[in-house]
Structures are given as structure tokens and as C-alpha cells.
Amino acid sequence: MIVETHPAKPSLEASSPFEMRVHLGEDVPDTDVRSALKTGDMGFLHSFTTGSAVDGPGIRLVAWTTACMFRCQYCHNPDTWTLTNGIPVTLEQAIEEVQIYANGLRAMGGGFTLSGGEPLMQARFAARLFHAVKAMRVHTAIETNGYYGDRLTDDELRTIDLVILDMKAFTRSQHERVTGGLHNEDVLEFCNRLSQLKRPMWLRYVLVPGLTDIPEEMEAVANFGYSLGVVERVEILPFHQMGRYKWERLNLDYKVERTISPTREEVAKAIAIFRSAGLDAS
Ligand code: SF4
């Protein structure tokens, strides 16, 4: 497959995923897109960012994929919902990009994280990239909503050292409310599978006043997380408005336009709920 790089296209590296990126893969023919999804020979990426300290242990190189099946009301990066908003990158190019930083990542006790969007929308690309990065002896992590966890085999899951699961909700109705109508049966099933395989997990929970700050819901997520026996830590992420301009520029209906960030006390309360379930939360 030949991928032509348009001269006007931005660099694969970005200062942060909050950079707005659209239409960058639209000139890839449909047949090549289908082939890429089937084989993983090519992926679509918003960007690579370096030096992240918040996407897994240590300092991370992060590749941000495009495409997501959820429509979370609070999503910070709705430009990553669409596959062809991303830059087409061959698997070899992506591997080379990680190779550049491999020594440093190992030396600093960091690693490589695949995030999104939802990385498992491009499961073949993700699986093959993780396989290659693991061969470099670099720590690997995925940030996922878990909905397509069944797209990875058990062996493929073993090439991922850490699964950072973005838990939207525990009850089906709340999950549908937050994500724009998608259920979470497959997410919970994926978590149970990771537990059976004894794969290390972190849980993330975005605290959005008026949407996700429901004590009973957080208790249910916390108790479920504890029951898995593999959750090493929980991160409560306070909602913020940094992604707002993307919703406006994409002309999307931003339901949390007037929502403000939770207070310190509200964050502390959420953390306490997860801690009282026996989890290491912060
Ligand atoms: S799962 Fe993540 S990328 Fe997808 S809509 Fe939700 S917050 Fe956005």
C-alpha cells in the first residue's frame, strides 16, 4: 500500500492532543481504509506526543488514534471520533517513531501508550504495534473504553502491560446517558476477562458535575473495580472545558457547555468513595 503524504499536512508529532485536527486522511481511498482496518498495515493517528506524565507509569510516548464509537457528552477531543480525520501512518512508520524513543523510555522507566479516540477501533493496527513495541522491551499501555476488548486475543492482551480503562458508568442506563446511547455489557465483560487473565489495570473516571457525580454510580464502579482484583489504581479526572472549542468548531451539540469543573471538595469526595471500596485512588 502506498501512502502519499500531503505537503500541507501537519507533522505527526503534536504538542498535545488538544490540537484540532480534521480531514487529514480523507484522500485515502475507501478500499485502502477497509484494507487497513482488516490487516493493520496502516493506522490513522491524530498525532504522537512525547513527554506525557499522565498516561501510564513514568514518562510516556503517546500515539493518539482516531475513531471512536462512543459520543461522551464530556469528550475533550471530538475531532478524534472520525477515523479519516487522522493522519494515515503505515505500521512501519509508527514502529520507527517508537524506536526513536525506545532507549530513553526504557532508561526513564516510562513507556509507550496507545490512546485515542478509541484505539481498538483499529484493533489490528493496535495489536501489531504493541507486538513490535514489546519486542523493543518498552513498557506498553492502552487507554481504552473497553467496548471492543473482544477484538484482541488473550495472547495479544499479554503484549499490553497495562490497560487503562476509562469507566464511564456501571449501570447500563447511566452508561447510555453518558456515551450517547451505548450499553456497557461488553465493557464489563472485558474487565472480567482482564481479571481472569490477571492483566494489570488502572481505572479512570471523569468527574462531571451534574452528569457523573452520582455517589451510587461511583460506589458501583468502585465495588466492581475492587472485585476484579487487578486494579492497581484509580484516577479521578476532574472535568474541564479545554475541548469546548472543538465542539464549537465542529458544530456539535455540546450539552455540558455550562458545566463547571468540580471543586476540590467534590473531587476529594469522589476519591473517598473509591478508597472506601479498597482501591488506591487519587
Ligand atoms: S470514549 Fe473517549 S474518545 Fe470516545 S467519545 Fe468518550 S471520551 Fe471521547
Side-chain angles (χ1 to χ4, degrees):
M1 187 182 302
I2 297 168
V3 178
E4 289 177 3
T5 308
H6 194 285
K9 282 182 178 171
S11 132
L12 191 50
E13 296 202 18
S15 54
S16 95
F18 290 107
E19 210 173 272
M20 175 93 158
R21 293 188 160 189
V22 290
H23 311 311
L24 300 175
E26 280 183 349
D27 52 357
V28 178
D30 284 352
T31 47
D32 286 359
V33 172
R34 281 196 293 274
S35 164
L37 290 172
K38 199 169 160 194
T39 64
D41 285 345
M42 182 174 74
F44 290 81
L45 298 181
H46 172 281
S47 58
F48 273 91
T49 58
T50 55
S52 166
V54 294
D55 296 292
I59 302 296
R60 318 289 299 181
L61 170 68
V62 186
W64 306 93
T65 60
T66 48
C68 187
M69 72 295 272
F70 286 7
R71 294 291 178 264
C72 300
Q73 291 188 36
Y74 53 71
C75 184
H76 299 149
N77 293 305
D79 52 333
T80 65
W81 290 351
T82 306
L83 182 76
T84 52
N85 274 352
I87 302 172
V89 180
T90 64
L91 181 65
E92 288 72 24
Q93 279 176 298
I95 292 169
E96 278 168 23
E97 185 75 14
V98 181
Q99 189 74 63
I100 294 169
Y101 300 98
N103 286 341
L105 294 171
R106 274 196 306 270
M108 291 186 295
F112 168 71
T113 302
L114 194 61
S115 186
E118 169 46 50
L120 296 181
M121 292 287 285
Q122 303 185 56
R124 287 307 88 213
F125 180 78
R128 292 177 66 189
L129 185 53
F130 278 126
H131 180 79
V133 176
K134 206 58 220 147
M136 298 176 205
R137 294 177 293 108
V138 169
H139 181 277
T140 53
I142 187 169
E143 282 175 1
T144 176
N145 62 35
Y147 194 79
Y148 277 164
D150 63 356
R151 290 187 167 192
L152 296 180
T153 66
D154 290 354
D155 281 344
E156 286 165 350
L157 280 176
R158 289 189 187 96
T159 67
I160 305 175
D161 296 311
L162 176 67
V163 175
I164 303 172
L165 207 299
D166 292 321
M167 286 289 276
K168 312 297 180 187
F170 182 75
T171 60
R172 180 178 180 134
S173 56
Q174 172 68 0
H175 198 273
E176 288 174 349
R177 180 177 169 231
V178 171
T179 63
L182 278 97
H183 69 79
N184 63 339
E185 280 166 29
D186 296 342
V187 176
L188 301 182
E189 206 174 302
F190 181 50
C191 292
N192 285 324
R193 185 168 155 231
L194 291 168
S195 169
Q196 280 156 15
L197 292 170
K198 303 209 179 326
R199 303 309 302 156
M201 291 177 74
W202 289 4
L203 292 186
R204 280 184 161 176
Y205 190 84
V206 182
L207 189 65
V208 189
L211 182 64
T212 68
D213 59 346
I214 305 166
E216 300 75 29
E217 194 66 44
M218 288 190 277
E219 277 163 26
V221 172
N223 290 331
F224 174 70
Y226 182 75
S227 76
L228 296 173
V230 291
V231 175
E232 297 177 344
R233 73 190 260 190
V234 177
E235 295 177 332
I236 303 298
L237 306 182
F239 170 74
H240 59 69
Q241 289 283 4
M242 281 173 72
R244 178 185 176 151
Y245 84 99
K246 291 190 175 184
W247 285 78
E248 286 168 0
R249 282 184 51 193
L250 293 167
N251 208 16
L252 295 166
D253 179 19
Y254 190 40
K255 292 194 172 62
V256 290
E257 186 182 17
R258 294 177 189 281
T259 303
I260 55 171
S261 297
T263 62
R264 277 177 168 215
E265 290 71 28
E266 287 165 341
V267 174
K269 267 189 198 167
I271 290 171
I273 288 175
F274 281 86
R275 285 186 180 164
S276 62
L279 292 162
D280 178 3
S282 57

